[in-house]
Amino acid sequence: MQIISENLFLLLCLISSTCFLVFITVRFLRISTRSAMLPPGPSRLPIIGNIHQVGKLPHRSFADLSRKYGPIMHLKFGRLNTVIVTSPEAAREVLKTHDQTLSGRDPPNSIRSINHDKVSVGWLHPSSPRWRLLRKLLVTHMFSPQRIEATKALRLEKVQDLVSYIDESSEREEAVHISRASFTTTLNIISNILFSVDLASYGSEKSNEFRDSVIVGMEAAGSPDLSNFFPCLRFLDLQGNTKKMKFSTDNLLKVFRGFIDTKTLEKSLGNNPKDASNSDFLDALLDEAELDNTDIEHLLLDMFTAGTETSSSTLEWAMTELLTNPKTMEKAQAEIEHMIEKNGFVREPDTSEIPYLQAVVKETFRLHPTIPLLLPRKAETDVEVLGYVVPKDAQVLVNLWAIGRDPNVWENPTRFEPERFLGKETDVKGRDFELTPFGAGRRICPGLPLAVKTVSLMLVSLLYSFDWKLPNAFDMDETFGITLRKANPLHAVPVKKNRHYTFLLFCLIASCFLVFITARFRRVSCLTATLPPGPPRLPFIGNIHQVGKNPHRSFADLSKTYGPVMSLKLGSLKSVIISSPEAAREVLRTHDQILSSRKSTDSIRSFGHHEVSVIWLPPSARWRMLRKLSITQLFSPQRMEATKGLRMKKVQELVSFMNERSEKEDAVDISRASFTTVLNIISNILFSVDLGSYDVTSKSNRFRDTVIAAMEAAGKPDTANYFPFLGFLDLQGNRKNMKTCTERLFRVFRGFIDAKMTEKSLTNYKDVSDSDFLDALLVLMEGDETELDNNDIEHLLLDMFAAGTDTSSSTLEWAMAELLNNPKSLARAQAEIDCVIGQNGIVQESDISYLPYLQAVVKETFRLHPAAPFLVPRKAEADVKVLGFMVPKDAQVLVNVWAIGRDPAVWENPNRFEPERFLGKETDVKGRDYELTPFGAGRRICPGLPLAVVTVSLMLASLLYFFDWKLPNGVAFEDLDMDETFGITLHKTNMLHAVPVKKRTHK
């Protein structure tokens, strides 16, 4: 028995030893065989491997290494196995032959840090049902041929906006930041497809911030990062990419959440069910039961990051290459001119019939692929590519940049030669592996059709409408991230093209000849014959009897009979009334220089204000100096940012006052309360003190009454304006009222001026950061050659208070009156604010940009109740034609913005308060849309526009967030009157009193 046991033991030992030897041998043979078949690559250093060879521009570093080690190259970055592919043949193997095995992703640490790899269509594995669902949604609702066709008009509209913006820059001979401008265009195209709204406007801080957030996110995702090479170091975030990514995505996701919350609320309330044909991409996502808000937010993040910066960067590179190669630009422009002449304007279908332009776009994709290494792929198993083993879990990078510059594939590979694509079928659709800027196979970018059409349409439009010149030298340096951008942005000066030169020259010569022959005879007869039409005049008084107490309404009624350019004779005063957007454009933009003087009223002239006021002075050196002071010291982006905390503080004081009245269930005079808020904002900016108090017995109420009385005296119809020789009689008492009001105000201003001058004489130092506007003005009084005296300063301060206080408080009062008159609009505005701010927050200025319906409410208020219904009267410096009619020299020109805002030819349901009309539209109040110009336009646009809009919006949002509202004494909303009192500003005749009902506690 013992012998058998010993033999058994020996047998087991023998078997075990044999198995171990076999295991060791097989493993050794497998490793040695696999090592022998791995792609070649440079030698590695201990621990770090080849990290030292990555460099700041990995696509270039890898291209240089591939010249030595071949088109399939193996590198080791710390613990990360990486295979670099740099030939069309190897790319075909990766992107097509072994697409299934190599279609996984190896997300960088910055992507993992926000969990984007778990929900993103760009990073999820294609085998997952979630990836297939998300990709199907994209293709069906955004990038299908039907959707691309359905959004064609939108793309054309947004590209025309780009052309208009560049046209304005051309007139000013200003250089255009090509990437920023094209980013705004692409952003608005995509935001309209996704949300049915514009997210940006040209030159705005908002669009620049959005673009910067996208760029920071792309760089954080693509920059070399030690956390990707040594996962154990992730918590250190040595390159700061995790921090940058979180900051970037937090900014973007906050925008998306605002839209999601608003749409969700609308759906839950059942308000205005949307026609399916008008639904946007977000509507489709919210109808998808398998998606939650996180899925939607990250899918939107994919859309914006993949669709905005990529297209704008491609356009920038295309323009850079064309400016570097003038002959190529000339050839492209000549082809475009020939094609477009058939229609006279650019259409999207035209781009497919311009082969050289298509070749320019392809050549740009070849030399400057937006994503130079595509997104990193991951090998699911060992796989053989061109005879080499790509090991399981290896990262696979396709170096498109190197393939696009491979001398074995392209002749003169580093030259920009679009001709190489003419007569060839090579395209970017993933079939030709020497040119795959959008990838290929199942992971090809689904947005390819939209990107190509958008870039082509923008490029055609810019080359057709303008010639281009450079303000200074430029380079071709790159900045690497997931996308490849120009390190130094391209700035170029657009030069508007003049067409048909010969014909124009002939017309000019012929016109000069005719003018020379017939000048004397035709001048008088022509002027009389082409004056604008108007109602018959009575002897001596002309049309004075037709002015009425509310001239804006009287003139609007007359314009229905006599047209949008109408001539009236008010005593001896020739007046032309403008009441259409087209005519307003002519006055405020086309003939801005001739029509930029002022026709001051008798009450303004009575105390010499027209000689020193930035509002009433004609354009002159003094006017430019005063306007520059106002902008740099009060309304510049830097000053607006510096005074943001002050505005927040004063609006919170308004909320506190409302809280007290709410507890007592007292009605509030909305205009007086908001006037106090605005007064304190402005007085702190000017003097660093509060001038107002919410106490009804305080002097601030007297200050308000004084400002309103002065505005009425300046704007009311006055016999002295029509018959200047009767001015001394002061029949309406406007001179007397104006003198009383201005003396009161000047006494206040003189007190501050004297106090400041005394302070300056007693001390020689004041911290610049603590200086206010008055300090800045007093500095200009120092020295031998002073630019300002006390009188100038007093009148400038008068302008600031008159233009800035009553206008904003009146606008807020009208907004609240309209909302109380339209409970559904009030409920929708409050729901939107609650969604964005949450239940226990405070409204910040930065929140306003995420409240599209609130912004629409403010615009709708400006439309129906412009603060200055005629703007400030203009004066013709010479005879000038407006829409074919002659405006005679010295005529007063009034732009009836009140009538334009209620014109049924411009607005649907013009007399209804419908903020929805502005949703999804780019119309704003910045002087570019002549159907809505409450602040004017051109060189005389109100410089205080930024402060007014943000102040009104912040006050309105805060009042709607913290309180519900009811009318006192059981008055029904429908019984609220909307009567007006006319002056330079338009007031509610009967002040709005409303009772605040506290919704939440104010912190």
Side-chain angles (χ1 to χ4, degrees):
M1 191 71 176
Q2 185 177 357
I3 295 172
I4 292 173
S5 296
E6 289 175 355
N7 287 337
L8 225 115
F9 175 73
L10 289 172
L11 182 62
L12 284 172
C13 288
L14 181 63
I15 292 171
S16 299
S17 301
T18 304
C19 289
F20 178 73
L21 288 171
V22 168
F23 172 77
I24 292 299
T25 304
V26 169
R27 183 169 176 81
F28 173 77
L29 289 172
R30 185 172 181 271
I31 291 172
S32 59
T33 304
R34 179 169 155 185
S35 298
M37 297 180 68
L38 280 174
S43 55
R44 308 163 189 168
L45 295 178
I47 302 178
I48 67 170
N50 304 107
I51 291 177
H52 62 294
Q53 294 172 302
V54 174
K56 290 185 177 180
L57 299 171
H59 57 296
R60 289 182 177 268
S61 304
F62 297 159
D64 292 340
L65 289 171
S66 71
R67 295 189 188 105
K68 182 175 182 180
Y69 296 102
I72 304 181
M73 182 174 58
H74 179 237
L75 293 93
K76 194 78 181 289
F77 301 130
R79 298 185 60 186
L80 181 63
N81 270 316
T82 302
V83 174
I84 316 291
V85 169
T86 52
S87 76
E89 297 77 21
R92 177 187 293 272
E93 293 271 297
V94 170
L95 301 176
K96 182 179 179 182
T97 308
H98 303 295
D99 180 32
Q100 188 166 355
T101 306
L102 296 171
S103 60
R105 292 293 193 209
D106 195 19
N109 181 58
S110 56
I111 291 291
R112 289 194 191 96
S113 69
I114 57 169
N115 294 319
H116 195 51
D117 55 312
K118 298 175 181 177
V119 285
S120 161
V121 70
W123 297 96
L124 278 169
H125 197 283
S127 63
S128 67
R130 169 82 33 162
W131 180 85
R132 288 193 292 272
L133 167 66
L134 294 174
R135 191 168 176 95
K136 181 181 177 182
L137 280 170
L138 287 177
V139 172
T140 306
H141 294 287
M142 282 197 73
F143 305 124
S144 67
Q146 296 80 7
R147 290 302 300 160
I148 293 290
E149 179 64 24
T151 54
K152 181 170 66 177
L154 165 66
R155 289 191 294 279
L156 185 58
E157 178 190 345
K158 298 307 164 191
V159 172
Q160 287 305 309
D161 291 344
L162 170 65
V163 172
S164 297
Y165 164 70
I166 293 178
D167 192 34
E168 293 174 5
S169 298
S170 171
E171 291 176 359
R172 297 190 296 266
E173 296 185 359
E174 290 179 352
V176 174
H177 190 309
I178 298 295
S179 179
R180 285 192 189 276
S182 56
F183 182 92
T184 298
T185 305
T186 311
L187 174 61
N188 285 341
I189 289 172
I190 292 178
S191 67
N192 272 276
I193 294 172
L194 298 181
F195 308 134
S196 304
V197 298
D198 285 345
L199 273 182
S201 59
Y202 294 96
S204 74
E205 286 300 315
K206 179 181 173 183
S207 57
N208 291 339
E209 288 173 7
F210 198 99
R211 175 178 180 268
D212 293 342
S213 292
V214 171
I215 289 173
V216 167
M218 299 290 266
E219 289 182 353
S223 298
D225 191 334
L226 287 176
S227 300
N228 299 328
F229 310 145
F230 301 103
C232 61
L233 299 178
R234 286 176 183 168
F235 73 98
L236 294 174
D237 190 23
L238 295 172
Q239 274 80 31
N241 287 329
T242 297
K243 182 180 178 181
K244 291 175 186 174
M245 180 61 78
K246 287 181 177 177
F247 175 78
S248 167
T249 52
D250 283 348
N251 288 342
L252 298 174
L253 294 178
K254 186 177 180 182
V255 176
F256 306 153
R257 286 181 195 124
F259 284 107
I260 292 169
D261 291 344
T262 301
K263 293 249 185 191
T264 304
L265 256 185
E266 287 179 6
K267 289 168 72 71
S268 66
L269 295 172
N271 292 339
N272 302 320
K274 212 169 197 179
D275 181 357
S277 62
N278 294 325
S279 295
D280 51 42
F281 186 59
L282 183 53
D283 290 316
L285 296 182
L286 292 173
D287 289 336
E288 186 59 52
E290 296 184 53
L291 300 180
D292 59 23
N293 279 12
T294 299
D295 296 323
I296 294 174
E297 288 169 11
H298 284 264
L299 185 55
L300 295 174
L301 183 62
D302 282 338
M303 296 303 94
F304 278 103
T305 52
T308 50
E309 169 62 15
T310 49
S311 294
S312 61
S313 180
T314 299
L315 184 81
E316 182 181 34
W317 280 118
M319 289 294 292
T320 303
E321 288 288 4
L322 288 170
L323 286 165
T324 308
N325 298 273
K327 290 184 179 179
T328 304
M329 177 178 273
E330 288 174 13
K331 187 172 179 179
Q333 287 180 309
E335 181 189 55
I336 294 166
E337 293 271 359
H338 177 73
M339 181 65 220
I340 305 302
E341 275 182 1
K342 299 176 184 178
N343 304 312
F345 58 92
V346 178
R347 302 177 311 157
E348 193 172 86
D350 294 332
T351 59
S352 62
E353 299 178 33
I354 308 176
Y356 195 72
L357 185 279
Q358 293 177 4
V360 167
V361 174
K362 290 177 185 176
E363 183 73 342
T364 304
F365 281 133
R366 179 184 73 83
L367 284 172
H368 308 285
T370 313
I371 306 178
L373 302 176
L374 293 181
L375 291 184
R377 294 189 171 223
K378 178 183 176 183
E380 297 296 308
T381 62
D382 290 353
V383 60
E384 192 173 296
V385 175
L386 294 188
Y388 294 105
V389 171
V390 176
K392 181 182 178 182
D393 294 328
Q395 171 183 257
V396 180
L397 301 175
V398 180
N399 194 343
L400 299 183
W401 187 90
I403 294 172
R405 297 177 183 238
D406 186 347
N408 296 318
V409 180
W410 310 96
E411 188 176 352
N412 301 322
T414 58
R415 291 185 190 172
F416 187 78
E417 296 179 353
E419 291 79 4
R420 71 177 81 243
F421 290 103
L422 296 178
K424 295 183 180 178
E425 293 186 0
T426 308
D427 63 32
V428 297
K429 297 179 181 178
R431 297 183 293 240
D432 301 290
F433 293 90
E434 65 271 30
L435 190 68
T436 54
F438 296 92
R442 72 183 64 196
R443 301 223 69 147
I444 191 170
C445 174
L448 184 157
L450 179 62
V452 172
K453 286 184 179 294
T454 301
V455 169
S456 300
L457 183 60
M458 287 195 292
L459 186 58
V460 169
S461 299
L462 298 190
L463 297 183
Y464 176 69
S465 302
F466 307 97
D467 289 319
W468 295 86
K469 62 183 181 182
L470 294 167
N472 41 50
F474 69 101
D475 56 59
M476 305 291 276
D477 295 342
E478 305 157 329
T479 295
F480 182 85
I482 276 189
T483 57
L484 196 65
R485 298 182 298 106
K486 270 190 102 280
N488 301 303
L490 173 64
H491 292 79
V493 180
V495 181
K496 193 172 184 179
K497 291 185 178 181
N498 294 313
R499 309 184 188 283
H500 313 300
Y501 305 103
T502 306
F503 176 73
L504 287 173
L505 183 61
F506 171 77
C507 290
L508 179 63
I509 294 170
S511 299
C512 289
F513 178 74
L514 289 172
V515 167
F516 177 76
I517 296 296
T518 61
R520 288 183 178 274
F521 171 76
R522 289 189 57 82
R523 174 166 174 75
V524 176
S525 59
C526 242
L527 184 60
T528 305
T530 57
L531 278 174
R537 305 165 184 170
L538 296 177
F540 189 66
I541 67 170
N543 304 105
I544 291 177
H545 63 293
Q546 295 171 303
V547 174
K549 289 186 177 180
N550 290 312
H552 57 295
R553 290 182 177 270
S554 305
F555 295 165
D557 291 338
L558 287 171
S559 71
K560 293 170 186 171
T561 302
Y562 297 102
V565 183
M566 180 175 64
S567 178
L568 298 172
K569 193 75 179 293
L570 305 174
S572 63
L573 179 63
K574 292 176 286 188
S575 295
V576 174
I577 316 299
I578 301 299
S579 50
S580 78
E582 297 76 20
R585 177 187 289 270
E586 294 269 299
V587 169
L588 302 177
R589 179 180 174 184
T590 308
H591 303 299
D592 181 32
Q593 189 166 356
I594 297 173
L595 296 170
S596 60
S597 286
R598 294 300 194 198
K599 193 73 171 179
S600 54
T601 62
D602 180 72
S603 58
I604 291 293
R605 290 193 297 272
S606 68
F607 68 109
H609 193 52
H610 63 300
E611 297 174 348
V612 285
S613 162
V614 71
I615 296 173
W616 295 98
L617 272 171
S620 59
R622 174 154 289 265
W623 175 80
R624 285 190 289 273
M625 185 267 288
L626 293 173
R627 188 174 174 89
K628 182 179 179 182
L629 265 176
S630 302
I631 291 172
T632 55
Q633 299 294 332
L634 286 174
F635 307 122
S636 67
Q638 296 81 3
R639 290 302 302 159
M640 289 293 294
E641 181 63 26
T643 55
K644 182 168 65 175
L646 165 67
R647 290 189 294 278
M648 277 294 302
K649 179 183 176 184
K650 297 305 163 188
V651 172
Q652 289 308 305
E653 289 173 3
L654 170 66
V655 173
S656 297
F657 168 69
M658 295 292 182
N659 256 327
E660 294 172 7
R661 302 304 291 267
S662 173
E663 290 171 0
K664 299 174 184 175
E665 298 185 0
D666 287 344
V668 175
D669 184 328
I670 299 295
S671 178
R672 286 192 184 276
S674 57
F675 183 93
T676 298
T677 305
V678 180
L679 174 62
N680 285 342
I681 289 172
I682 292 178
S683 66
N684 271 276
I685 294 172
L686 299 183
F687 308 136
S688 304
V689 298
D690 284 347
L691 273 181
S693 166
Y694 294 102
D695 183 351
V696 294
T697 62
S698 74
K699 290 183 180 180
S700 66
N701 287 314
R702 187 177 177 188
F703 195 100
R704 174 183 180 273
D705 295 340
T706 303
V707 170
I708 290 174
M711 298 292 270
E712 288 181 358
K716 274 184 178 178
D718 191 334
T719 305
N721 296 329
Y722 310 144
F723 302 104
F725 63 88
L726 297 177
F728 73 98
L729 295 174
D730 193 20
L731 296 173
Q732 276 78 31
N734 287 329
R735 279 192 179 191
K736 180 182 178 182
N737 292 339
M738 181 63 81
K739 184 178 180 182
T740 302
C741 293
T742 53
E743 284 180 353
R744 285 179 190 163
L745 296 173
F746 285 154
R747 276 198 298 272
V748 175
F749 304 155
R750 286 179 196 129
F752 283 108
I753 293 170
D754 293 344
K756 290 267 187 184
M757 292 184 74
T758 302
E759 182 185 346
K760 284 172 70 71
S761 67
L762 295 174
T763 179
N764 296 320
Y765 174 77
K766 184 169 186 178
D767 186 353
V768 175
S769 63
D770 294 332
S771 296
D772 51 41
F773 185 60
L774 182 53
D775 289 317
L777 296 181
L778 292 176
V779 168
L780 297 176
M781 290 179 58
E782 297 173 355
D784 297 329
E785 297 182 6
T786 60
E787 297 184 62
L788 296 174
D789 58 23
N790 276 14
N791 186 60
D792 296 323
I793 293 176
E794 288 170 11
H795 284 266
L796 183 55
L797 294 173
L798 178 63
D799 282 339
M800 297 301 105
F801 279 104
T805 51
D806 179 49
T807 49
S808 295
S809 60
S810 178
T811 300
L812 183 81
E813 181 182 34
W814 280 118
M816 288 294 292
E818 288 288 3
L819 288 170
L820 288 169
N821 213 16
N822 296 271
K824 289 185 178 179
S825 297
L826 175 60
R828 182 171 180 182
Q830 288 181 308
E832 179 189 62
I833 297 167
D834 288 348
C835 271
V836 172
I837 310 302
Q839 289 305 310
N840 296 299
I842 293 177
V843 181
Q844 305 281 347
E845 274 189 18
S846 56
D847 296 321
I848 303 299
S849 58
Y850 304 115
L851 300 170
Y853 193 75
L854 178 89
Q855 293 176 47
V857 166
V858 174
K859 290 177 185 177
E860 183 73 341
T861 304
F862 281 132
R863 180 184 73 83
L864 285 171
H865 308 285
F870 286 134
L871 301 180
V872 180
R874 292 187 173 224
K875 175 185 172 185
E877 292 294 304
D879 293 349
V880 60
K881 275 196 173 183
V882 173
L883 295 189
F885 295 108
M886 186 65 71
V887 176
K889 182 180 179 181
D890 293 329
Q892 169 182 259
V893 180
L894 300 176
V895 180
N896 194 345
V897 292
W898 185 92
I900 294 171
R902 297 176 184 243
D903 185 350
V906 179
W907 309 96
E908 188 177 350
N909 302 322
N911 293 314
R912 291 186 191 171
F913 184 79
E914 295 178 353
E916 291 77 8
R917 73 179 77 243
F918 290 104
L919 297 177
K921 294 184 180 178
E922 202 179 36
T923 308
D924 62 32
V925 297
K926 296 179 181 177
R928 295 186 292 245
D929 302 291
Y930 294 89
E931 66 271 30
L932 190 68
T933 55
F935 295 91
R939 71 183 63 195
R940 301 228 63 149
I941 191 171
C942 174
L945 184 157
L947 179 62
V949 172
V950 77
T951 302
V952 169
S953 301
L954 183 61
M955 287 195 295
L956 183 59
S958 298
L959 296 186
L960 299 184
Y961 177 67
F962 284 105
F963 307 99
D964 288 321
W965 295 88
K966 63 183 181 180
L967 294 174
N969 304 320
V971 176
F973 290 141
E974 56 270 19
D975 295 331
L976 183 66
D977 76 78
M978 304 297 271
D979 294 340
E980 305 158 328
T981 296
F982 181 84
I984 276 191
T985 56
L986 201 61
H987 292 101
K988 261 188 113 283
T989 302
N990 301 304
M991 294 177 186
L992 174 64
H993 291 79
V995 179
V997 180
K998 189 188 295 187
K999 287 166 58 179
R1000 49 178 57 84
T1001 302
H1002 171 236
K1003 296 179 181 180

